[in-house]
Amino acid sequence: MSTTAQVLGVADIVNGMTPRLTPEVANYPNLDLTVHLFRLPRDAWIGFDTEVSIGADGIGLTRAALHDADGPIGASAQTLTVRLRDE
């Protein structure tokens, strides 16, 4: 598997890295994943600078700046559907 493919696989977990609500309170699966890379990653190690926003209607967005040891490599975005759990 290429380094780029490995990075894309890791980028899919960004949604769960910085939850605004704990899994005990809500489920928040991502509906999609968009990744833009402006250079190839040096290796499979990747860091995230993540921001999560959730609207009152249960729709949210996880955005992240992606970087490797050499600096920025791109960005990702995931649309979320936030559903409160039954008590």
Side-chain angles (χ1 to χ4, degrees):
M1 184 182 319
S2 72
T3 302
T4 301
Q6 291 175 17
V7 167
L8 294 175
V10 172
D12 192 35
I13 68 167
V14 173
N15 174 38
M17 300 294 290
T18 314
R20 302 280 296 178
L21 301 168
T22 66
E24 294 80 26
V25 173
N27 294 315
Y28 41 90
N30 60 295
L31 301 173
D32 61 4
L33 170 63
T34 302
V35 178
H36 297 276
L37 299 177
F38 56 83
R39 73 169 173 85
L40 295 175
R42 181 172 78 166
D43 55 32
W45 183 91
I46 187 171
F48 311 109
D49 183 8
T50 307
E51 179 181 322
V52 179
S53 303
I54 300 172
D57 59 357
I59 303 298
L61 178 67
T62 299
R63 294 176 291 189
L66 309 174
H67 63 89
D68 63 11
D70 293 335
I73 62 170
S76 70
Q78 295 171 301
T79 306
L80 310 176
T81 177
V82 181
R83 303 290 179 246
L84 295 177
R85 295 178 66 117
D86 294 332
E87 297 186 39

